[in-house]
Amino acid sequence: LFASEWGTTHPVDQTWVDVDASRAWLQFLDENQIGWCNWSIMDKDEASAALRPGANPQGGWNDGDLTESGRFIRGVLRGEL
């Protein structure tokens, strides 16, 4: 199994990042050894996007280039959260 295209935003009000629900989802995936991919690594002006508008498409992003969602997922991938 693989969970694809899940986001960090609240399912109804997609203007805010629901960190608690995201942590619960990630815990479920980890406990059940299910791989995952987060939505989305783009610079669109929306809460689920990992990058702020205008971020370099070639990478090398710093904290200022990332949205709240992007910083959260980066922390998860780095094992910091």
Side-chain angles (χ1 to χ4, degrees), residues 8-81:
T8 58
T9 55
H10 187 271
V12 176
D13 181 1
Q14 295 190 4
T15 63
W16 63 279
V17 176
D18 191 342
V19 174
D20 292 335
S22 296
R23 286 182 200 273
W25 178 237
L26 287 166
Q27 181 177 354
F28 170 83
L29 295 172
D30 185 53
E31 289 173 355
N32 291 282
Q33 300 178 335
I34 299 172
W36 59 271
C37 161
N38 176 253
W39 180 263
S40 73
I41 188 155
M42 69 172 139
D43 68 344
K44 190 173 180 182
D45 189 17
E46 60 183 36
S48 64
L51 304 174
R52 292 188 182 281
N56 185 341
Q58 300 300 313
W61 306 301
N62 60 39
D63 279 348
D65 295 319
L66 302 176
T67 63
E68 179 184 1
S69 178
R71 288 187 304 275
F72 173 74
I73 293 299
R74 182 178 67 182
V76 169
L77 292 171
R78 289 181 170 177
E80 300 168 353
L81 301 177

